Amino acid sequence: MSAAEARRSFLKAGTAAAAGAFAARAVAQESPEHDPLRVPGGPTDPPGGSRPQDEHEVRADYEGFSRYKPSRGHDPDSKWYLGKEVPGFRKGVDGPAPFVAPDVEKLPYTMENGWKVFHLSCTPVSREFLPGHQINVYGFNGSMPGPTIEVTQGDRVRFVVKNDLPEPTSVHWHGFELPVQEDGASHLTQNMIQPGKEYVYQFQVHEEGTFFYHSHVAMQETFGMVGWFIVHPQKPFDPPVDRDFGLIFQNFRIDPMTTVVDSWGMDFNWHTINGRSGPYTTPLVCRHGERVRIRILDFSPVQHHPIHLHGHTFWVTGHEGARVPKTAWIPRNTELIAVAQASNLEFIANNPGDWALHCHMTHHMMNHMVQHVGPRMRGQTDTSRYTANLETRPAVDLNSKALGDVPPGYPQMMQGMKMDPAAMKKVWSRREMRGMRATAPKTISGLFTALRVLPDDLYRLVMETDEPVEKGAVFAEIVRRFGDYDRYDWAPMEMEMGGGMNDAAMGGGATGSVGTGR
């Protein structure tokens, strides 16, 4: 049975018509006056018993772990505990799940006498980190990160690299055990590739797993020169996954009023996932009950990233070195990933909703963090005693009365980088955003994206149809099915363009920031 057939056997009849019914009844705006959408044939546990004929048979329950609702299982030593070895719908014989790095293209190749031949150009790149914010970086083939290289274990690969930069460069194939002359470690192993010149690397790939390629000139790395190099195993990993996502986390220093990366700067203020800053990052979308793998690479100059996933517990199944034996897999919801390291996270998407996936370093959940020029004044502060006599500065009153009702340090305002309606329209233009809460972009900032776990009919509505879907409609339907709708507060549409987390207290306007630094 194919993966598609296996999935269909788990669904109740009528879901094909449900998407159209859902779209037709989508609310005109997020408003508490509207009832949730009543869609027949929504996702439930599959019919039939939970006893498998073999351990690879797809089912709903695995010794207390459910494919369709948050659960842990009865025995921490069980292979099914927290979904550890629970299979997805995809069979191993179907081959690897397509690798998807949102907002990054794949590098094509040609076959020449048994070699997969790829062409890479090292180029200056203008990358749109946020709508309207073009940043000057370095990359490959006009992209930052560079296009994804995807091969199979055992392939013979050849890379024709052209240097279109104004300075010498080399390309390192990070993590590969290859002949030393192919390593690309700049002057240590080769003559540098001069501007306008080409260099050919070739080797046979005996490894499998999560790798990447990058310039081996330090300042060029700081400028963003990196790309995925994914090697699928000859023998499919067990259990196979239904989704295979890749995210590259990077930091940059870009001073105010400039668009050029400061490769010497250490106070990093722009943060990107696959070359986009939240809320311009593209959400990861999967179906309820699927087995998901997310590969995350930290290619920041000096900073580590504690990556936290809301709503799910994942298993760490591999790193940039290799697949980890199952006996050494670790369950976590936050994985600390250091510079030039990658981690593979796998889990069963058994908790429907729009879930935050982000670096937990607080300043990495903002954009363009720079200090203000001039004093930081609170909006309610009376400055008359200062302006009345500009020759003499009044003594500072440090007693508690001076603070009034405002606690020390409040508010930590998210200021600057207001996003106008045109920018927000571009944020909402991605299919993957359809039906999310109208205020979702207020939280998704910097190294922040979302994992969307959608019931099958809602997944098809969002990802496979062109039916109109209003903001908040899909989220509200998930709350109706799986939450407590009577306690659900709809997102006010008038705050769609609002500012940061303190807007409610400080009177955020109609066009605000999206989690920018103070």
Side-chain angles (χ1 to χ4, degrees):
M1 180 181 292
S2 70
E5 292 170 336
R7 185 187 314 284
R8 284 194 293 269
S9 70
F10 274 65
L11 300 174
K12 291 184 176 181
T15 55
F22 176 89
R25 301 182 60 185
V27 294
Q29 63 178 10
E30 287 206 43
S31 169
E33 288 94 42
H34 290 276
D35 289 329
L37 305 171
R38 304 290 176 174
V39 183
T44 62
D45 286 356
S50 63
R51 287 290 180 184
Q53 296 179 358
D54 64 74
E55 64 179 24
H56 296 290
E57 180 181 338
V58 177
R59 63 190 197 275
D61 182 77
Y62 295 78
E63 298 180 7
F65 176 83
S66 172
R67 179 185 299 279
Y68 291 104
K69 61 184 178 181
S71 49
R72 301 184 81 80
H74 302 317
D75 183 2
D77 293 323
S78 167
K79 65 191 300 182
W80 311 124
Y81 185 68
L82 289 170
K84 181 177 182 180
E85 296 186 42
V86 172
F89 296 97
R90 190 181 188 90
K91 302 297 184 182
V93 295
D94 296 331
F99 177 78
V100 177
D103 304 308
V104 178
E105 300 292 331
K106 292 187 178 182
L107 186 64
Y109 65 87
T110 58
M111 293 299 300
E112 298 181 13
N113 299 320
W115 291 81
K116 287 185 175 179
V117 179
F118 299 84
H119 288 264
L120 272 178
S121 297
C122 307
T123 60
V125 175
S126 177
R127 182 68 167 179
E128 192 176 34
F129 284 11
L130 282 173
H133 292 269
Q134 297 286 155
I135 305 299
N136 296 105
V137 291
Y138 281 1
F140 298 91
N141 292 36
S143 174
M144 193 292 299
T148 296
I149 297 169
E150 197 170 1
V151 303
T152 300
Q153 184 181 16
D155 283 348
R156 294 191 298 171
V157 296
R158 177 179 298 142
F159 299 97
V160 180
V161 178
K162 184 180 179 183
N163 183 10
D164 287 320
L165 298 174
E167 56 186 302
T169 192
S170 67
V171 178
H172 173 55
W173 316 98
H174 193 108
F176 287 96
E177 301 163 355
L178 37 62
V180 66
Q181 72 191 75
E182 312 295 345
D183 189 52
S186 57
H187 298 281
L188 181 65
T189 60
Q190 70 172 80
N191 295 329
M192 299 292 282
I193 311 173
Q194 298 300 317
K197 302 297 183 180
E198 291 185 348
Y199 191 92
V200 177
Y201 300 89
Q202 62 182 37
F203 52 93
Q204 184 167 11
V205 179
H206 71 268
E207 303 95 334
E208 84 293 325
T210 304
F211 302 94
F212 50 101
Y213 65 96
H214 61 85
S215 165
H216 213 271
V217 177
M219 294 308 185
Q220 293 174 5
E221 294 179 49
T222 304
F223 259 59
M225 292 188 69
V226 66
W228 283 114
F229 196 141
I230 301 300
V231 184
H232 296 292
Q234 286 183 333
K235 178 183 178 181
F237 290 145
D238 181 57
V241 298
D242 300 297
R243 305 281 169 176
D244 193 354
F245 295 111
L247 304 176
I248 298 179
F249 284 55
Q250 294 173 272
N251 301 134
F252 300 90
R253 173 65 195 188
I254 303 165
D255 290 325
M257 307 305 294
T258 68
T259 63
V260 180
V261 175
D262 178 0
S263 60
W264 285 24
M266 302 290 284
D267 187 9
F268 303 102
N269 62 344
W270 274 92
H271 313 289
T272 64
I273 300 177
N274 289 359
R276 305 288 195 202
S277 292
Y280 203 29
T281 51
T282 297
L284 311 180
V285 186
C286 67
R287 284 182 167 95
H288 187 199
E290 288 185 326
R291 186 176 182 92
V292 177
R293 177 190 298 131
I294 303 177
R295 313 181 198 227
I296 300 177
L297 164 63
D298 177 1
F299 202 71
S300 303
V302 298
Q303 294 183 331
H304 64 279
H305 299 303
I307 307 301
H308 178 49
L309 173 62
H310 292 207
H312 293 80
T313 300
F314 54 75
W315 290 88
V316 182
T317 63
H319 294 289
E320 76 287 347
R323 178 82 163 181
V324 174
K326 293 177 182 176
T327 53
W329 289 5
I330 298 175
R332 312 200 70 154
N333 55 54
T334 303
E335 168 74 350
L336 181 62
I337 306 176
V339 174
Q341 291 184 349
S343 291
N344 297 342
L345 320 177
E346 294 186 22
F347 57 95
I348 298 295
N350 62 0
N351 198 1
D354 296 342
W355 299 105
L357 174 62
H358 62 95
C359 176
H360 221 290
M361 295 186 72
T362 55
H363 278 192
H364 290 180
M365 292 184 280
M366 308 180 197
N367 298 315
H368 199 25
M369 298 178 299
V370 293
Q371 291 187 346
H372 293 174
V373 177
R376 300 180 183 182
M377 302 299 294
R378 298 192 178 101
Q380 72 272 30
T381 300
D382 180 7
T383 62
S384 60
R385 62 179 182 145
Y386 291 87
T387 58
N389 185 353
L390 299 181
E391 301 297 327
T392 303
R393 183 171 63 183
V396 177
D397 185 356
L398 297 179
N399 60 38
S400 59
K401 183 178 179 180
L403 298 174
D405 295 328
V406 181
Y410 178 88
Q412 297 295 307
M413 288 291 287
M414 304 281 197
Q415 297 189 30
M417 291 186 63
K418 304 293 184 180
M419 295 190 72
D420 59 26
M424 291 306 299
K425 183 177 181 180
K426 197 166 188 177
V427 167
W428 282 103
S429 67
R430 281 85 49 77
R431 173 180 291 275
E432 292 84 354
M433 293 283 292
R434 301 173 74 200
M436 295 180 72
R437 280 172 56 88
T439 50
K442 290 164 64 69
T443 289
I444 300 175
S445 304
L447 293 180
F448 202 124
T449 188
L451 170 74
R452 304 192 70 189
V453 179
L454 303 182
D456 188 78
D457 57 329
L458 302 186
Y459 177 90
R460 287 186 283 110
L461 173 66
V462 170
M463 299 299 294
E464 298 176 359
T465 78
D466 293 323
E467 298 288 345
V469 182
E470 295 297 329
K471 295 181 180 68
V474 170
F475 188 92
E477 175 61 16
I478 290 175
V479 171
R480 184 191 69 79
R481 296 183 189 181
F482 302 97
D484 183 353
Y485 183 74
D486 290 337
R487 298 178 55 248
Y488 175 61
D489 292 327
W490 291 75
M493 289 292 283
E494 64 270 16
M495 292 182 64
E496 176 189 344
M497 301 300 297
M501 295 173 62
N502 293 316
D503 275 3
M506 299 304 296
T511 304
S513 65
V514 284
T516 56
R518 54 187 177 85

